């Protein structure tokens, strides 16, 4: 009986699975199904603004958009854009000179005196607005992107346009309708704008005659004449204040270095002519330097004497030499570029010099020349303003040939300037470089 009971117990145990096996089977049955995939991470926000990708944090929306709009402008707004203000401020000075003809003026001079005062005030105000805006942008560029400003300084062409802001302000100061050169405000502003020119003179002229890679014979180009133009503009403003000695100092610095630059540019070899075809309108600065020198000496001496006339005749000769070679500028005129403004400023300075020349000689031929040059200068400036207004979308190109792309990190934002086509965010449309 005992053995029978034990046998039945063994059979029951063999028929039923062990507890461990049952638990394991149950576990495998419950969890053998694949786990649900985790929720996708929130999409990373990418703002494509003018070929610049901004990767913001979640809590910096407004600040990021502001920086995304401003920083691309700062990275591309180099000193070459002050060509615009050079032309506008000099044009305002021309209009101020022409709107107030002297007594017993020639009929042609009285004809140019029909410029309304309102038009002059509008032009001067527009020049002030654009110059102040560009100056603020460039100050921000110096503060936030100092490496880019250093690249401009090390560039043999870009370094010369560091003179352009001060030259523009001095021209605007001379054309100001609100105060005369004898006021304290004029004096203080003159010092503010002349000091940067003198500092750059010491730095750049010192490099020209010392040994090194930046010696004048290797870096000379037509834009180098802007450095001497700054001295002539400062000398003219000082002479109008009655500071003859200060005017003579700046005129002497400008004239000596102008002769050196002029001779160097005449003797440069073809392989050293590294001015790109796009920048050939800068060659019109050959006209600006002697024209401004004649105006500066006229203010210092008090009369448009033989020295001023010699410089004016040189300007006329160089002007004729350039306009009789249109093929030289053919490539640069295929597509609008801010460098086109390099035509306007030299023509306006030449027209200003012709005004003083005509007033001194009092001949009909001189006044006819003044009339033609003034009308040509005004027409070129108007055409350039219209072209600029119609091409504002390409006024700040996404890539500047003079300066390499850069990556700048400021706070939570990383800005990468790119040179290839960027696939856009579907919500923002496409953007190409």
């Amino acid at each position: 009986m005992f053995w029978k009971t034990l046998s039945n117990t063994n059979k029951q145990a063999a028929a039923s699975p062990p507890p461990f096996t049952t638990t394991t089977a149950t576990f495998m049955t419950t969890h053998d199904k694949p786990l649900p995939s985790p929720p996708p991470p929130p999409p990373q926000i990418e703002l494509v603004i003018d070929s610049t990708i901004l990767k913001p944090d979640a809590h910096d929306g407004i600040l990021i958009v502001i920086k995304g709009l401003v920083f691309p402008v700062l990275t591309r707004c180099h000193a070459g854009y002050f060509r615009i203000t050079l032309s506008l401020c000099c044009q305002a000075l021309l209009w101020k000179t022409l709107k107030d003809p002297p007594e017993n003026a020639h009929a042609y001079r009285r004809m140019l005196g029909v410029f309304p005062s309102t038009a002059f005030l509008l032009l001067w105000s527009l020049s002030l607005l654009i110059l102040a805006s560009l100056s603020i942008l460039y100050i921000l560029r110096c503060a936030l992107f100092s490496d880019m400003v250093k690249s401009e300084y090390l560039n043999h062409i870009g370094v010369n346009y560091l003179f352009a802001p001060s030259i523009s302000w001095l021209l605007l100061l001379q054309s100001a309708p609100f105060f005369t050169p004898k006021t304290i405000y004029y004096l203080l502003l003159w010092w503010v704008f002349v000091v940067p020119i003198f500092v750059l003179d010491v730095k750049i002229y010192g490099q020209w005659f010392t040994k090194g890679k930046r010696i004048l014979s290797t870096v000379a180009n037509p834009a180098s004449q802007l450095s001497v133009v700054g001295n002539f503009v400062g000398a003219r403003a000082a002479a109008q204040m009655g500071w003859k000695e200060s005017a003579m100092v700046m005129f002497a610095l400008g004239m000596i270095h102008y002769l050196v630059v002029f001779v160097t540019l005449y003797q440069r070899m073809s392989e050293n002519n590294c001015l790109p075809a796009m920048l050939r309108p800068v060659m019109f600065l050959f006209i600006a330097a002697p024209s401004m020198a004649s105006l500066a000496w006229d203010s210092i001496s008090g009369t448009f004497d033989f020295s001023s006339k010699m410089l004016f005749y040189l300007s006329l000769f160089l002007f004729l030499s350039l306009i009789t070679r249109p093929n030289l500028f053919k490539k640069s005129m295929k597509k609008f570029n801010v460098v086109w403004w390099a035509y306007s400023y030299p023509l306006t300075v030449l027209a200003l010099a012709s005004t003083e020349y005509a007033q001194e000689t009092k001949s009909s031929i001189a006044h006819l020349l003044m009339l033609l040059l003034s009308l040509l200068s005004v027409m070129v400036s108007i055409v350039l303003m219209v072209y600029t207004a119609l091409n504002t979308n390409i006024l700040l190109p996404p890539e500047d040939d003079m300066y390499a792309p850069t990556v700048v990190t400021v706070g939570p934002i990383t800005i990468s300037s790119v040179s290839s086509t960027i696939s856009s965010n579907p919500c923002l449309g496409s953007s190409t470089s």
Side-chain angles (χ1 to χ4, degrees), residues 44 46-48 422-431:
Q44 186 178 13
E46 289 190 357
L47 300 179
V48 181
I422 299 178
S423 300
S424 67
N425 188 302
C427 301
L428 298 174
S430 61
S431 176

Side-chain angles (χ1 to χ4, degrees), residues 66-216:
I66 293 176
K67 290 183 177 181
L69 292 173
V70 173
F71 281 12
V73 175
L74 295 181
T75 57
R76 298 175 178 92
C77 186
H78 53 78
Y81 284 92
F82 283 94
R83 295 184 183 100
I84 299 175
T85 57
L86 278 175
S87 302
L88 292 178
C89 295
C90 194
Q91 193 69 213
L93 183 59
L94 175 64
W95 286 31
K96 180 182 179 181
T97 304
L98 295 178
K99 77 181 184 67
D100 296 322
E103 297 180 0
N104 301 322
H106 195 275
Y108 292 146
R109 178 66 183 273
R110 292 196 301 271
M111 185 185 304
L112 291 175
V114 299
F115 282 105
S117 299
T118 305
F120 162 68
L121 290 175
L122 288 175
L123 177 61
W124 191 88
S125 301
L126 176 64
S127 304
L128 176 63
L129 176 63
I130 296 176
L131 181 55
S133 302
L134 281 177
S135 298
I136 293 172
L137 288 175
Y138 200 75
I139 290 173
L140 292 175
R141 177 184 173 92
C142 293
L144 300 176
F145 303 102
S146 57
D147 290 341
M148 289 187 172
V149 179
K150 183 178 179 181
S151 298
E152 291 184 66
Y153 176 76
L154 296 177
N155 186 276
H156 68 285
I157 298 175
V159 65
N160 300 289
Y161 282 94
L162 297 179
F163 289 88
S166 295
I167 297 174
S168 300
W169 280 111
L170 285 171
L171 290 171
L172 194 68
L173 180 64
Q174 295 176 52
S175 62
F178 306 113
F179 47 83
T180 62
K182 303 297 183 179
T183 60
I184 186 64
Y185 303 105
Y186 194 101
L187 172 62
L188 292 176
L189 291 174
W190 181 85
W191 274 110
V192 170
F193 303 140
V194 164
V195 168
I197 293 178
F198 187 76
V199 172
L200 287 171
D201 283 347
V202 172
K203 189 67 176 178
I204 295 175
Y205 292 166
Q207 293 175 344
W208 283 358
F209 68 83
T210 56
K211 294 182 179 179
K213 296 181 180 180
R214 300 179 64 80
I215 197 169
L216 181 60

Side-chain angles (χ1 to χ4, degrees), residues 112 351 354 365-378:
L112 291 175
S354 68
I365 296 178
H367 280 85
L368 179 60
L369 178 64
M370 174 200 66
L371 176 65
L372 294 177
L373 290 175
S374 300
L375 292 178
L376 177 62
S377 170
V378 173

Side-chain angles (χ1 to χ4, degrees), residues 45-66:
I45 302 174
E46 289 190 357
L47 300 179
V48 181
I49 301 177
D50 193 16
S51 303
T52 303
I53 301 178
L54 303 180
K55 298 182 178 180
D57 293 339
H59 305 290
D60 297 325
I62 298 178
L63 180 62
I64 286 168
V65 171
I66 293 176

Side-chain angles (χ1 to χ4, degrees), residues 290-312:
S291 298
M292 185 53 71
S294 68
L295 290 171
W297 186 251
D298 173 44
S299 298
I300 293 172
S301 64
T303 179
F304 205 85
D305 58 10
F306 290 107
S307 299
S308 296
K309 290 179 181 179
M310 289 171 59
L311 292 166
F312 175 67

